[in-house]
Amino acid sequence: MTIFIQSLDYNLWDLIVDGPNLPTITNENGEIIPKPRNRYNDDDRKIVQLNAKAKHIIICAINSNEFNRVSSCVSAKDMWDRLEVTYEGTNQVKEAKINMLVHEYCNTPDSEPGSLLIQDRCVTQN
């Protein structure tokens, strides 16, 4: 999906990765809040439109179960991040999976010598 989105408009991909920076204002209490739509200028509308376009592309590419996971997200970045964690796991989960596979590889008697990276990990685990 990454290449598909990038091929449509690289600005969409940047928005998904970096976030849309949706229009905000500072209220009388000094809090930053979403800017009301009736106060949008042309630049604000462009940002919101690009976010809506990115969200639309993501929604068109997912099934109903995935849609239920991301339908409450305000930005395309939030949607992407939620899908990424769902399918790839957090960095901690990824590292645990790698460690488990390396451990299995290192403890297999028939395993042939692999790359130096795996050999180093085998040495540090034993």
Side-chain angles (χ1 to χ4, degrees):
M1 188 188 298
T2 302
I3 293 170
F4 176 72
I5 294 169
Q6 289 173 346
S7 71
L8 290 175
D9 184 346
Y10 210 89
N11 291 326
L12 288 174
W13 182 245
D14 287 342
L15 180 131
I16 290 169
V17 172
D18 300 331
N21 297 322
L22 295 172
T24 59
I25 58 169
T26 305
N27 67 11
E28 56 275 352
N29 298 330
E31 301 168 330
I32 297 175
I33 59 170
K35 191 176 195 179
R37 284 191 346 224
N38 62 354
R39 296 186 58 192
Y40 283 177
N41 59 30
D42 289 341
D43 290 335
D44 294 336
R45 290 203 181 280
K46 286 177 186 174
I47 292 168
V48 171
Q49 180 65 38
L50 201 58
N51 184 58
K53 188 175 182 181
K55 286 173 60 175
H56 176 75
I57 291 168
I58 292 171
I59 287 171
C60 287
I62 60 178
N63 65 36
S64 59
N65 290 334
E66 294 165 333
F67 175 79
N68 291 334
R69 284 190 190 104
V70 300
S71 61
S72 63
C73 295
V74 173
S75 71
K77 178 178 178 34
D78 294 340
M79 292 174 127
W80 187 264
D81 290 347
R82 191 169 293 177
L83 290 169
E84 189 173 43
V85 168
T86 300
Y87 288 99
E88 295 181 12
T90 61
N91 287 337
Q92 190 174 12
V93 169
K94 290 178 197 175
E95 187 65 28
K97 287 178 183 178
I98 290 169
N99 288 336
M100 182 187 68
L101 291 170
V102 168
H103 178 75
E104 286 177 19
Y105 176 82
C106 294
N107 292 319
T108 303
D110 299 350
S111 63
E112 295 182 22
S115 72
L116 290 176
L117 176 64
I118 293 190
Q119 288 175 10
D120 288 344
R121 288 189 102 154
C122 288
V123 170
T124 59
Q125 284 191 353
N126 293 329

PDB file of all heavy atoms in Angstrom, residues 28-65:
ATOM      1  N   GLU A  28      -8.854  30.948  25.109  1.00  0.00           N
ATOM      2  CA  GLU A  28      -8.581  31.974  26.122  1.00  0.00           C
ATOM      3  C   GLU A  28      -7.862  31.418  27.346  1.00  0.00           C
ATOM      4  O   GLU A  28      -7.240  32.166  28.106  1.00  0.00           O
ATOM      5  CB  GLU A  28      -9.884  32.688  26.544  1.00  0.00           C
ATOM      6  CG  GLU A  28     -10.985  31.782  27.055  1.00  0.00           C
ATOM      7  CD  GLU A  28     -11.842  31.181  25.952  1.00  0.00           C
ATOM      8  OE1 GLU A  28     -11.704  31.553  24.775  1.00  0.00           O
ATOM      9  OE2 GLU A  28     -12.652  30.307  26.284  1.00  0.00           O
ATOM     10  N   ASN A  29      -7.896  30.092  27.561  1.00  0.00           N
ATOM     11  CA  ASN A  29      -7.191  29.461  28.680  1.00  0.00           C
ATOM     12  C   ASN A  29      -5.767  29.051  28.312  1.00  0.00           C
ATOM     13  O   ASN A  29      -5.082  28.427  29.111  1.00  0.00           O
ATOM     14  CB  ASN A  29      -7.959  28.225  29.172  1.00  0.00           C
ATOM     15  CG  ASN A  29      -9.331  28.578  29.697  1.00  0.00           C
ATOM     16  OD1 ASN A  29      -9.542  29.671  30.210  1.00  0.00           O
ATOM     17  ND2 ASN A  29     -10.265  27.651  29.557  1.00  0.00           N
ATOM     18  N   GLY A  30      -5.353  29.358  27.080  1.00  0.00           N
ATOM     19  CA  GLY A  30      -4.022  28.996  26.620  1.00  0.00           C
ATOM     20  C   GLY A  30      -3.908  27.571  26.119  1.00  0.00           C
ATOM     21  O   GLY A  30      -2.809  27.096  25.853  1.00  0.00           O
ATOM     22  N   GLU A  31      -5.038  26.878  25.988  1.00  0.00           N
ATOM     23  CA  GLU A  31      -5.039  25.503  25.499  1.00  0.00           C
ATOM     24  C   GLU A  31      -5.113  25.496  23.976  1.00  0.00           C
ATOM     25  O   GLU A  31      -5.811  26.317  23.382  1.00  0.00           O
ATOM     26  CB  GLU A  31      -6.236  24.733  26.057  1.00  0.00           C
ATOM     27  CG  GLU A  31      -6.271  24.667  27.567  1.00  0.00           C
ATOM     28  CD  GLU A  31      -7.608  24.150  28.090  1.00  0.00           C
ATOM     29  OE1 GLU A  31      -8.651  24.371  27.434  1.00  0.00           O
ATOM     30  OE2 GLU A  31      -7.588  23.539  29.158  1.00  0.00           O
ATOM     31  N   ILE A  32      -4.407  24.572  23.364  1.00  0.00           N
ATOM     32  CA  ILE A  32      -4.463  24.417  21.912  1.00  0.00           C
ATOM     33  C   ILE A  32      -5.603  23.458  21.602  1.00  0.00           C
ATOM     34  O   ILE A  32      -5.633  22.328  22.098  1.00  0.00           O
ATOM     35  CB  ILE A  32      -3.131  23.894  21.356  1.00  0.00           C
ATOM     36  CG1 ILE A  32      -2.027  24.911  21.632  1.00  0.00           C
ATOM     37  CG2 ILE A  32      -3.239  23.587  19.874  1.00  0.00           C
ATOM     38  CD1 ILE A  32      -0.640  24.467  21.252  1.00  0.00           C
ATOM     39  N   ILE A  33      -6.552  23.939  20.797  1.00  0.00           N
ATOM     40  CA  ILE A  33      -7.742  23.155  20.453  1.00  0.00           C
ATOM     41  C   ILE A  33      -7.918  23.138  18.936  1.00  0.00           C
ATOM     42  O   ILE A  33      -7.361  23.986  18.233  1.00  0.00           O
ATOM     43  CB  ILE A  33      -9.012  23.729  21.127  1.00  0.00           C
ATOM     44  CG1 ILE A  33      -9.244  25.182  20.694  1.00  0.00           C
ATOM     45  CG2 ILE A  33      -8.917  23.630  22.650  1.00  0.00           C
ATOM     46  CD1 ILE A  33     -10.581  25.764  21.095  1.00  0.00           C
ATOM     47  N   PRO A  34      -8.688  22.159  18.411  1.00  0.00           N
ATOM     48  CA  PRO A  34      -8.946  22.152  16.965  1.00  0.00           C
ATOM     49  C   PRO A  34      -9.642  23.451  16.536  1.00  0.00           C
ATOM     50  O   PRO A  34     -10.515  23.965  17.227  1.00  0.00           O
ATOM     51  CB  PRO A  34      -9.876  20.950  16.774  1.00  0.00           C
ATOM     52  CG  PRO A  34      -9.640  20.076  17.959  1.00  0.00           C
ATOM     53  CD  PRO A  34      -9.289  21.008  19.082  1.00  0.00           C
ATOM     54  N   LYS A  35      -9.212  23.950  15.405  1.00  0.00           N
ATOM     55  CA  LYS A  35      -9.790  25.183  14.865  1.00  0.00           C
ATOM     56  C   LYS A  35     -11.194  24.880  14.326  1.00  0.00           C
ATOM     57  O   LYS A  35     -11.374  23.888  13.613  1.00  0.00           O
ATOM     58  CB  LYS A  35      -8.894  25.695  13.733  1.00  0.00           C
ATOM     59  CG  LYS A  35      -9.208  27.076  13.242  1.00  0.00           C
ATOM     60  CD  LYS A  35      -8.163  27.466  12.201  1.00  0.00           C
ATOM     61  CE  LYS A  35      -8.165  28.930  11.903  1.00  0.00           C
ATOM     62  NZ  LYS A  35      -7.124  29.294  10.920  1.00  0.00           N
ATOM     63  N   PRO A  36     -12.186  25.697  14.661  1.00  0.00           N
ATOM     64  CA  PRO A  36     -13.530  25.475  14.113  1.00  0.00           C
ATOM     65  C   PRO A  36     -13.522  25.597  12.586  1.00  0.00           C
ATOM     66  O   PRO A  36     -12.801  26.431  12.021  1.00  0.00           O
ATOM     67  CB  PRO A  36     -14.373  26.587  14.735  1.00  0.00           C
ATOM     68  CG  PRO A  36     -13.586  27.075  15.906  1.00  0.00           C
ATOM     69  CD  PRO A  36     -12.147  26.824  15.582  1.00  0.00           C
ATOM     70  N   ARG A  37     -14.308  24.751  11.924  1.00  0.00           N
ATOM     71  CA  ARG A  37     -14.318  24.750  10.453  1.00  0.00           C
ATOM     72  C   ARG A  37     -14.703  26.107   9.880  1.00  0.00           C
ATOM     73  O   ARG A  37     -14.208  26.509   8.830  1.00  0.00           O
ATOM     74  CB  ARG A  37     -15.297  23.690   9.944  1.00  0.00           C
ATOM     75  CG  ARG A  37     -14.759  22.312  10.047  1.00  0.00           C
ATOM     76  CD  ARG A  37     -15.603  21.291   9.314  1.00  0.00           C
ATOM     77  NE  ARG A  37     -16.909  21.769   8.943  1.00  0.00           N
ATOM     78  CZ  ARG A  37     -18.045  21.108   9.076  1.00  0.00           C
ATOM     79  NH1 ARG A  37     -18.033  19.907   9.586  1.00  0.00           N
ATOM     80  NH2 ARG A  37     -19.191  21.608   8.694  1.00  0.00           N
ATOM     81  N   ASN A  38     -15.575  26.831  10.548  1.00  0.00           N
ATOM     82  CA  ASN A  38     -16.003  28.128  10.013  1.00  0.00           C
ATOM     83  C   ASN A  38     -14.903  29.186  10.071  1.00  0.00           C
ATOM     84  O   ASN A  38     -15.068  30.279   9.534  1.00  0.00           O
ATOM     85  CB  ASN A  38     -17.273  28.621  10.710  1.00  0.00           C
ATOM     86  CG  ASN A  38     -17.079  28.859  12.195  1.00  0.00           C
ATOM     87  OD1 ASN A  38     -16.029  28.553  12.756  1.00  0.00           O
ATOM     88  ND2 ASN A  38     -18.108  29.392  12.837  1.00  0.00           N
ATOM     89  N   ARG A  39     -13.754  28.847  10.693  1.00  0.00           N
ATOM     90  CA  ARG A  39     -12.634  29.787  10.754  1.00  0.00           C
ATOM     91  C   ARG A  39     -11.451  29.344   9.883  1.00  0.00           C
ATOM     92  O   ARG A  39     -10.385  29.956   9.925  1.00  0.00           O
ATOM     93  CB  ARG A  39     -12.181  29.951  12.208  1.00  0.00           C
ATOM     94  CG  ARG A  39     -13.302  30.585  13.051  1.00  0.00           C
ATOM     95  CD  ARG A  39     -12.904  30.907  14.446  1.00  0.00           C
ATOM     96  NE  ARG A  39     -11.768  31.800  14.510  1.00  0.00           N
ATOM     97  CZ  ARG A  39     -11.096  32.038  15.631  1.00  0.00           C
ATOM     98  NH1 ARG A  39     -11.460  31.455  16.744  1.00  0.00           N
ATOM     99  NH2 ARG A  39     -10.062  32.841  15.626  1.00  0.00           N
ATOM    100  N   TYR A  40     -11.644  28.288   9.089  1.00  0.00           N
ATOM    101  CA  TYR A  40     -10.584  27.815   8.204  1.00  0.00           C
ATOM    102  C   TYR A  40     -10.294  28.843   7.115  1.00  0.00           C
ATOM    103  O   TYR A  40     -11.196  29.443   6.564  1.00  0.00           O
ATOM    104  CB  TYR A  40     -10.988  26.521   7.493  1.00  0.00           C
ATOM    105  CG  TYR A  40     -10.916  25.259   8.330  1.00  0.00           C
ATOM    106  CD1 TYR A  40     -11.321  24.056   7.785  1.00  0.00           C
ATOM    107  CD2 TYR A  40     -10.467  25.253   9.639  1.00  0.00           C
ATOM    108  CE1 TYR A  40     -11.273  22.878   8.517  1.00  0.00           C
ATOM    109  CE2 TYR A  40     -10.416  24.095  10.379  1.00  0.00           C
ATOM    110  CZ  TYR A  40     -10.821  22.914   9.819  1.00  0.00           C
ATOM    111  OH  TYR A  40     -10.772  21.750  10.544  1.00  0.00           O
ATOM    112  N   ASN A  41      -9.015  28.986   6.790  1.00  0.00           N
ATOM    113  CA  ASN A  41      -8.625  29.755   5.610  1.00  0.00           C
ATOM    114  C   ASN A  41      -8.288  28.756   4.501  1.00  0.00           C
ATOM    115  O   ASN A  41      -8.443  27.541   4.680  1.00  0.00           O
ATOM    116  CB  ASN A  41      -7.448  30.689   5.931  1.00  0.00           C
ATOM    117  CG  ASN A  41      -6.224  29.941   6.427  1.00  0.00           C
ATOM    118  OD1 ASN A  41      -5.984  28.788   6.056  1.00  0.00           O
ATOM    119  ND2 ASN A  41      -5.439  30.590   7.282  1.00  0.00           N
ATOM    120  N   ASP A  42      -7.822  29.221   3.365  1.00  0.00           N
ATOM    121  CA  ASP A  42      -7.544  28.332   2.233  1.00  0.00           C
ATOM    122  C   ASP A  42      -6.465  27.295   2.552  1.00  0.00           C
ATOM    123  O   ASP A  42      -6.580  26.132   2.168  1.00  0.00           O
ATOM    124  CB  ASP A  42      -7.140  29.142   0.994  1.00  0.00           C
ATOM    125  CG  ASP A  42      -8.311  29.899   0.384  1.00  0.00           C
ATOM    126  OD1 ASP A  42      -9.475  29.537   0.682  1.00  0.00           O
ATOM    127  OD2 ASP A  42      -8.061  30.842  -0.392  1.00  0.00           O
ATOM    128  N   ASP A  43      -5.418  27.706   3.267  1.00  0.00           N
ATOM    129  CA  ASP A  43      -4.354  26.766   3.628  1.00  0.00           C
ATOM    130  C   ASP A  43      -4.866  25.678   4.572  1.00  0.00           C
ATOM    131  O   ASP A  43      -4.502  24.513   4.434  1.00  0.00           O
ATOM    132  CB  ASP A  43      -3.173  27.501   4.268  1.00  0.00           C
ATOM    133  CG  ASP A  43      -2.414  28.368   3.278  1.00  0.00           C
ATOM    134  OD1 ASP A  43      -2.474  28.068   2.059  1.00  0.00           O
ATOM    135  OD2 ASP A  43      -1.765  29.333   3.717  1.00  0.00           O
ATOM    136  N   ASP A  44      -5.715  26.071   5.516  1.00  0.00           N
ATOM    137  CA  ASP A  44      -6.311  25.089   6.433  1.00  0.00           C
ATOM    138  C   ASP A  44      -7.130  24.063   5.659  1.00  0.00           C
ATOM    139  O   ASP A  44      -7.055  22.860   5.913  1.00  0.00           O
ATOM    140  CB  ASP A  44      -7.219  25.773   7.463  1.00  0.00           C
ATOM    141  CG  ASP A  44      -6.466  26.684   8.414  1.00  0.00           C
ATOM    142  OD1 ASP A  44      -5.250  26.472   8.613  1.00  0.00           O
ATOM    143  OD2 ASP A  44      -7.102  27.622   8.950  1.00  0.00           O
ATOM    144  N   ARG A  45      -7.905  24.536   4.699  1.00  0.00           N
ATOM    145  CA  ARG A  45      -8.747  23.631   3.908  1.00  0.00           C
ATOM    146  C   ARG A  45      -7.906  22.660   3.084  1.00  0.00           C
ATOM    147  O   ARG A  45      -8.265  21.495   2.931  1.00  0.00           O
ATOM    148  CB  ARG A  45      -9.674  24.421   2.996  1.00  0.00           C
ATOM    149  CG  ARG A  45     -10.748  25.157   3.768  1.00  0.00           C
ATOM    150  CD  ARG A  45     -11.967  25.466   2.927  1.00  0.00           C
ATOM    151  NE  ARG A  45     -12.939  26.189   3.719  1.00  0.00           N
ATOM    152  CZ  ARG A  45     -13.788  25.638   4.589  1.00  0.00           C
ATOM    153  NH1 ARG A  45     -13.770  24.352   4.763  1.00  0.00           N
ATOM    154  NH2 ARG A  45     -14.637  26.366   5.270  1.00  0.00           N
ATOM    155  N   LYS A  46      -6.770  23.122   2.581  1.00  0.00           N
ATOM    156  CA  LYS A  46      -5.886  22.234   1.814  1.00  0.00           C
ATOM    157  C   LYS A  46      -5.361  21.105   2.700  1.00  0.00           C
ATOM    158  O   LYS A  46      -5.313  19.947   2.279  1.00  0.00           O
ATOM    159  CB  LYS A  46      -4.724  23.015   1.213  1.00  0.00           C
ATOM    160  CG  LYS A  46      -5.113  23.875   0.031  1.00  0.00           C
ATOM    161  CD  LYS A  46      -3.934  24.669  -0.477  1.00  0.00           C
ATOM    162  CE  LYS A  46      -4.371  25.643  -1.562  1.00  0.00           C
ATOM    163  NZ  LYS A  46      -3.272  26.526  -1.981  1.00  0.00           N
ATOM    164  N   ILE A  47      -4.955  21.438   3.906  1.00  0.00           N
ATOM    165  CA  ILE A  47      -4.434  20.439   4.839  1.00  0.00           C
ATOM    166  C   ILE A  47      -5.518  19.429   5.202  1.00  0.00           C
ATOM    167  O   ILE A  47      -5.292  18.210   5.174  1.00  0.00           O
ATOM    168  CB  ILE A  47      -3.888  21.123   6.117  1.00  0.00           C
ATOM    169  CG1 ILE A  47      -2.639  21.943   5.797  1.00  0.00           C
ATOM    170  CG2 ILE A  47      -3.589  20.098   7.203  1.00  0.00           C
ATOM    171  CD1 ILE A  47      -2.199  22.861   6.915  1.00  0.00           C
ATOM    172  N   VAL A  48      -6.699  19.925   5.522  1.00  0.00           N
ATOM    173  CA  VAL A  48      -7.815  19.049   5.895  1.00  0.00           C
ATOM    174  C   VAL A  48      -8.218  18.176   4.709  1.00  0.00           C
ATOM    175  O   VAL A  48      -8.512  16.986   4.866  1.00  0.00           O
ATOM    176  CB  VAL A  48      -8.999  19.885   6.434  1.00  0.00           C
ATOM    177  CG1 VAL A  48     -10.237  19.038   6.632  1.00  0.00           C
ATOM    178  CG2 VAL A  48      -8.609  20.569   7.735  1.00  0.00           C
ATOM    179  N   GLN A  49      -8.228  18.753   3.516  1.00  0.00           N
ATOM    180  CA  GLN A  49      -8.588  17.997   2.315  1.00  0.00           C
ATOM    181  C   GLN A  49      -7.580  16.879   2.045  1.00  0.00           C
ATOM    182  O   GLN A  49      -7.963  15.756   1.709  1.00  0.00           O
ATOM    183  CB  GLN A  49      -8.674  18.930   1.102  1.00  0.00           C
ATOM    184  CG  GLN A  49      -9.033  18.233  -0.197  1.00  0.00           C
ATOM    185  CD  GLN A  49     -10.436  17.651  -0.175  1.00  0.00           C
ATOM    186  OE1 GLN A  49     -11.343  18.252   0.380  1.00  0.00           O
ATOM    187  NE2 GLN A  49     -10.605  16.491  -0.760  1.00  0.00           N
ATOM    188  N   LEU A  50      -6.304  17.174   2.198  1.00  0.00           N
ATOM    189  CA  LEU A  50      -5.271  16.160   1.982  1.00  0.00           C
ATOM    190  C   LEU A  50      -5.410  15.022   3.000  1.00  0.00           C
ATOM    191  O   LEU A  50      -5.290  13.849   2.656  1.00  0.00           O
ATOM    192  CB  LEU A  50      -3.888  16.805   2.078  1.00  0.00           C
ATOM    193  CG  LEU A  50      -2.734  16.077   1.422  1.00  0.00           C
ATOM    194  CD1 LEU A  50      -2.975  15.857  -0.061  1.00  0.00           C
ATOM    195  CD2 LEU A  50      -1.444  16.842   1.631  1.00  0.00           C
ATOM    196  N   ASN A  51      -5.709  15.357   4.245  1.00  0.00           N
ATOM    197  CA  ASN A  51      -5.928  14.340   5.268  1.00  0.00           C
ATOM    198  C   ASN A  51      -7.141  13.479   4.918  1.00  0.00           C
ATOM    199  O   ASN A  51      -7.100  12.254   5.027  1.00  0.00           O
ATOM    200  CB  ASN A  51      -6.112  14.987   6.648  1.00  0.00           C
ATOM    201  CG  ASN A  51      -6.245  13.958   7.747  1.00  0.00           C
ATOM    202  OD1 ASN A  51      -5.370  13.123   7.957  1.00  0.00           O
ATOM    203  ND2 ASN A  51      -7.370  14.003   8.442  1.00  0.00           N
ATOM    204  N   ALA A  52      -8.222  14.115   4.469  1.00  0.00           N
ATOM    205  CA  ALA A  52      -9.429  13.373   4.086  1.00  0.00           C
ATOM    206  C   ALA A  52      -9.144  12.439   2.910  1.00  0.00           C
ATOM    207  O   ALA A  52      -9.625  11.302   2.872  1.00  0.00           O
ATOM    208  CB  ALA A  52     -10.553  14.344   3.749  1.00  0.00           C
ATOM    209  N   LYS A  53      -8.357  12.898   1.962  1.00  0.00           N
ATOM    210  CA  LYS A  53      -8.006  12.081   0.800  1.00  0.00           C
ATOM    211  C   LYS A  53      -7.192  10.858   1.230  1.00  0.00           C
ATOM    212  O   LYS A  53      -7.447   9.737   0.774  1.00  0.00           O
ATOM    213  CB  LYS A  53      -7.212  12.933  -0.198  1.00  0.00           C
ATOM    214  CG  LYS A  53      -6.955  12.282  -1.520  1.00  0.00           C
ATOM    215  CD  LYS A  53      -6.260  13.278  -2.464  1.00  0.00           C
ATOM    216  CE  LYS A  53      -6.023  12.695  -3.829  1.00  0.00           C
ATOM    217  NZ  LYS A  53      -5.338  13.655  -4.716  1.00  0.00           N
ATOM    218  N   ALA A  54      -6.239  11.070   2.126  1.00  0.00           N
ATOM    219  CA  ALA A  54      -5.415   9.966   2.620  1.00  0.00           C
ATOM    220  C   ALA A  54      -6.267   8.961   3.401  1.00  0.00           C
ATOM    221  O   ALA A  54      -6.119   7.747   3.242  1.00  0.00           O
ATOM    222  CB  ALA A  54      -4.285  10.497   3.494  1.00  0.00           C
ATOM    223  N   LYS A  55      -7.174   9.457   4.233  1.00  0.00           N
ATOM    224  CA  LYS A  55      -8.070   8.576   4.981  1.00  0.00           C
ATOM    225  C   LYS A  55      -8.938   7.762   4.024  1.00  0.00           C
ATOM    226  O   LYS A  55      -9.152   6.564   4.225  1.00  0.00           O
ATOM    227  CB  LYS A  55      -8.947   9.382   5.936  1.00  0.00           C
ATOM    228  CG  LYS A  55      -8.208   9.899   7.153  1.00  0.00           C
ATOM    229  CD  LYS A  55      -9.050  10.827   8.010  1.00  0.00           C
ATOM    230  CE  LYS A  55     -10.289  10.183   8.550  1.00  0.00           C
ATOM    231  NZ  LYS A  55     -11.039  11.061   9.468  1.00  0.00           N
ATOM    232  N   HIS A  56      -9.427   8.406   2.986  1.00  0.00           N
ATOM    233  CA  HIS A  56     -10.278   7.732   2.003  1.00  0.00           C
ATOM    234  C   HIS A  56      -9.520   6.588   1.314  1.00  0.00           C
ATOM    235  O   HIS A  56     -10.046   5.489   1.152  1.00  0.00           O
ATOM    236  CB  HIS A  56     -10.776   8.745   0.970  1.00  0.00           C
ATOM    237  CG  HIS A  56     -11.568   8.136  -0.135  1.00  0.00           C
ATOM    238  ND1 HIS A  56     -12.857   7.712   0.021  1.00  0.00           N
ATOM    239  CD2 HIS A  56     -11.230   7.856  -1.415  1.00  0.00           C
ATOM    240  CE1 HIS A  56     -13.292   7.203  -1.124  1.00  0.00           C
ATOM    241  NE2 HIS A  56     -12.315   7.284  -2.011  1.00  0.00           N
ATOM    242  N   ILE A  57      -8.293   6.846   0.940  1.00  0.00           N
ATOM    243  CA  ILE A  57      -7.483   5.811   0.284  1.00  0.00           C
ATOM    244  C   ILE A  57      -7.268   4.626   1.211  1.00  0.00           C
ATOM    245  O   ILE A  57      -7.401   3.463   0.801  1.00  0.00           O
ATOM    246  CB  ILE A  57      -6.134   6.393  -0.198  1.00  0.00           C
ATOM    247  CG1 ILE A  57      -6.385   7.361  -1.353  1.00  0.00           C
ATOM    248  CG2 ILE A  57      -5.155   5.297  -0.594  1.00  0.00           C
ATOM    249  CD1 ILE A  57      -5.196   8.211  -1.716  1.00  0.00           C
ATOM    250  N   ILE A  58      -6.967   4.893   2.464  1.00  0.00           N
ATOM    251  CA  ILE A  58      -6.763   3.803   3.425  1.00  0.00           C
ATOM    252  C   ILE A  58      -8.054   3.014   3.617  1.00  0.00           C
ATOM    253  O   ILE A  58      -8.054   1.776   3.576  1.00  0.00           O
ATOM    254  CB  ILE A  58      -6.242   4.355   4.775  1.00  0.00           C
ATOM    255  CG1 ILE A  58      -4.820   4.900   4.609  1.00  0.00           C
ATOM    256  CG2 ILE A  58      -6.289   3.273   5.853  1.00  0.00           C
ATOM    257  CD1 ILE A  58      -4.287   5.663   5.803  1.00  0.00           C
ATOM    258  N   ILE A  59      -9.159   3.708   3.789  1.00  0.00           N
ATOM    259  CA  ILE A  59     -10.447   3.035   4.014  1.00  0.00           C
ATOM    260  C   ILE A  59     -10.832   2.169   2.821  1.00  0.00           C
ATOM    261  O   ILE A  59     -11.350   1.060   2.985  1.00  0.00           O
ATOM    262  CB  ILE A  59     -11.541   4.066   4.353  1.00  0.00           C
ATOM    263  CG1 ILE A  59     -11.319   4.584   5.770  1.00  0.00           C
ATOM    264  CG2 ILE A  59     -12.933   3.460   4.217  1.00  0.00           C
ATOM    265  CD1 ILE A  59     -12.193   5.754   6.153  1.00  0.00           C
ATOM    266  N   CYS A  60     -10.556   2.634   1.620  1.00  0.00           N
ATOM    267  CA  CYS A  60     -10.891   1.853   0.420  1.00  0.00           C
ATOM    268  C   CYS A  60     -10.045   0.593   0.298  1.00  0.00           C
ATOM    269  O   CYS A  60     -10.436  -0.344  -0.395  1.00  0.00           O
ATOM    270  CB  CYS A  60     -10.722   2.706  -0.832  1.00  0.00           C
ATOM    271  SG  CYS A  60     -12.009   3.943  -1.008  1.00  0.00           S
ATOM    272  N   ALA A  61      -8.912   0.555   0.981  1.00  0.00           N
ATOM    273  CA  ALA A  61      -7.998  -0.578   0.851  1.00  0.00           C
ATOM    274  C   ALA A  61      -8.158  -1.618   1.957  1.00  0.00           C
ATOM    275  O   ALA A  61      -7.485  -2.646   1.925  1.00  0.00           O
ATOM    276  CB  ALA A  61      -6.561  -0.062   0.847  1.00  0.00           C
ATOM    277  N   ILE A  62      -9.039  -1.386   2.927  1.00  0.00           N
ATOM    278  CA  ILE A  62      -9.147  -2.305   4.060  1.00  0.00           C
ATOM    279  C   ILE A  62     -10.514  -2.965   4.112  1.00  0.00           C
ATOM    280  O   ILE A  62     -11.471  -2.478   3.503  1.00  0.00           O
ATOM    281  CB  ILE A  62      -8.838  -1.586   5.396  1.00  0.00           C
ATOM    282  CG1 ILE A  62      -9.812  -0.428   5.653  1.00  0.00           C
ATOM    283  CG2 ILE A  62      -7.395  -1.095   5.413  1.00  0.00           C
ATOM    284  CD1 ILE A  62      -9.606   0.293   6.967  1.00  0.00           C
ATOM    285  N   ASN A  63     -10.603  -4.056   4.856  1.00  0.00           N
ATOM    286  CA  ASN A  63     -11.888  -4.747   4.996  1.00  0.00           C
ATOM    287  C   ASN A  63     -12.677  -4.191   6.183  1.00  0.00           C
ATOM    288  O   ASN A  63     -12.197  -3.300   6.894  1.00  0.00           O
ATOM    289  CB  ASN A  63     -11.683  -6.265   5.113  1.00  0.00           C
ATOM    290  CG  ASN A  63     -10.932  -6.661   6.366  1.00  0.00           C
ATOM    291  OD1 ASN A  63     -11.085  -6.070   7.432  1.00  0.00           O
ATOM    292  ND2 ASN A  63     -10.094  -7.687   6.246  1.00  0.00           N
ATOM    293  N   SER A  64     -13.859  -4.726   6.412  1.00  0.00           N
ATOM    294  CA  SER A  64     -14.744  -4.166   7.437  1.00  0.00           C
ATOM    295  C   SER A  64     -14.189  -4.330   8.846  1.00  0.00           C
ATOM    296  O   SER A  64     -14.393  -3.454   9.704  1.00  0.00           O
ATOM    297  CB  SER A  64     -16.140  -4.782   7.337  1.00  0.00           C
ATOM    298  OG  SER A  64     -16.070  -6.179   7.501  1.00  0.00           O
ATOM    299  N   ASN A  65     -13.476  -5.415   9.119  1.00  0.00           N
ATOM    300  CA  ASN A  65     -12.875  -5.581  10.452  1.00  0.00           C
ATOM    301  C   ASN A  65     -11.816  -4.521  10.708  1.00  0.00           C
ATOM    302  O   ASN A  65     -11.744  -3.949  11.801  1.00  0.00           O
ATOM    303  CB  ASN A  65     -12.256  -6.976  10.602  1.00  0.00           C
ATOM    304  CG  ASN A  65     -13.295  -8.057  10.665  1.00  0.00           C
ATOM    305  OD1 ASN A  65     -14.436  -7.825  11.068  1.00  0.00           O
ATOM    306  ND2 ASN A  65     -12.918  -9.253  10.245  1.00  0.00           N
TER     307      ASN A  65
END
